[in-house]
């Protein structure tokens, strides 16, 4: 992952944190971790790395070696996390969305879906899009309030990225959908081969 325009980094930031890519040995027990995010300057004034996973697991660190468990107030699996709009945003099963300014205190957000959410991405200008099961797409301009958008597909969506002014979501059955903002026209139109 690389740096976004607003200084946030993508979920691959974990690589190299522990002495050039070595193994990190946090006290995470047997928790299955599913997502990670790095924020270079949180609202708490620190750089933090946050991992999320099964049964609502959240762990955070400021040095890459001392990990602390947080309690997000949910027990559903959390599948992805990013730092957007001054908040860590974690999403997961049953449409779960939780946010935190500091990785310690978490707030559950209203979700317009009960479908599993699997990935999220921001455009560096405040907008965030989450994707998930059955073609679910959610759009937010502040990471706190979310609205459903029409994807035009019932295929599960597993990933989303942003570049050159366009989101690209990918999923089951070769699904590849694109949009510039997730809210105009058909929210996400099928991509074409060319």
């Amino acid at each position: 992952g690389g740096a976004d325009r607003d200084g946030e980094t993508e979920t691959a930031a974990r690589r190299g944190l522990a002495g050039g890519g070595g193994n990190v040995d946090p006290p995470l027990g047997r928790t299955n971790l599913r997502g990670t995010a790095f924020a270079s300057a949180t609202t708490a004034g620190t750089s933090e790395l946050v991992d999320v996973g099964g049964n609502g697991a959240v762990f955070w660190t400021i040095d890459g070696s001392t990990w602390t468990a947080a309690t997000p107030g949910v027990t559903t699996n959390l599948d992805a996390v990013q730092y957007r709009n001054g908040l860590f945003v974690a999403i997961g099963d049953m449409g779960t969305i939780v946010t935190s300014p500091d990785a310690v205190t978490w707030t559950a957000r209203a979700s317009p879906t009960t479908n599993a959410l699997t990935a999220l991405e921001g455009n560096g200008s405040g907008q965030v899009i989450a994707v998930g099961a059955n073609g679910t797409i959610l759009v937010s301009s502040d990471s706190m309030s979310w609205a459903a958008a029409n994807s035009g597909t019932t295929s599960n969506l597993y990933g989303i990225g942003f570049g050159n002014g366009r989101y690209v979501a990918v999923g089951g059955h070769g699904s590849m959908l694109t949009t510039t903002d997730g809210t105009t026209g058909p929210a996400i139109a099928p991509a074409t081969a060319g």
Side-chain angles (χ1 to χ4, degrees):
D4 291 339
R5 282 181 234 145
D6 59 2
E8 298 168 352
T9 55
E10 294 180 19
T11 58
R14 172 180 206 136
R15 284 178 280 213
L17 193 69
N23 291 330
V24 177
D25 190 22
L28 307 184
R30 298 187 183 275
T31 300
N32 289 322
L33 297 176
R34 298 168 180 227
T36 187
F38 177 76
S40 60
T42 67
T43 56
T46 59
S47 295
E48 296 178 34
L49 182 66
V50 173
D51 290 350
V52 299
N55 301 313
V58 174
F59 299 95
W60 64 273
T61 182
I62 58 174
D63 64 8
S65 61
T66 303
W67 291 82
T68 303
T71 305
V74 298
T75 57
T76 55
N77 293 333
L78 297 174
D79 293 317
V81 62
Q82 283 202 358
Y83 188 75
R84 300 289 175 187
N85 301 312
L87 296 168
F88 286 101
V89 182
I91 59 170
D93 290 357
M94 301 299 298
T96 300
I97 304 169
V98 291
T99 63
S100 174
D102 57 10
V104 177
T105 304
W106 291 83
T107 301
R109 302 296 177 180
S111 177
T113 187
T114 57
N115 288 329
L117 299 172
T118 55
L120 71 159
E121 182 63 273
N123 65 2
S125 297
Q127 185 180 57
V128 184
I129 295 180
V131 298
N134 301 312
T136 299
I137 296 177
L138 304 182
V139 180
S140 177
S141 61
D142 61 7
S143 299
M144 295 181 286
S145 299
W146 295 81
N150 180 13
S151 70
T153 184
T154 57
S155 293
N156 293 336
L157 299 174
Y158 299 116
I160 186 165
F162 182 82
N164 293 329
R166 182 169 296 279
Y167 291 94
V168 177
V170 296
H173 309 288
S175 298
M176 184 184 300
L177 312 171
T178 66
T179 184
T180 56
D181 66 5
T183 60
T184 57
I188 296 216
T192 57

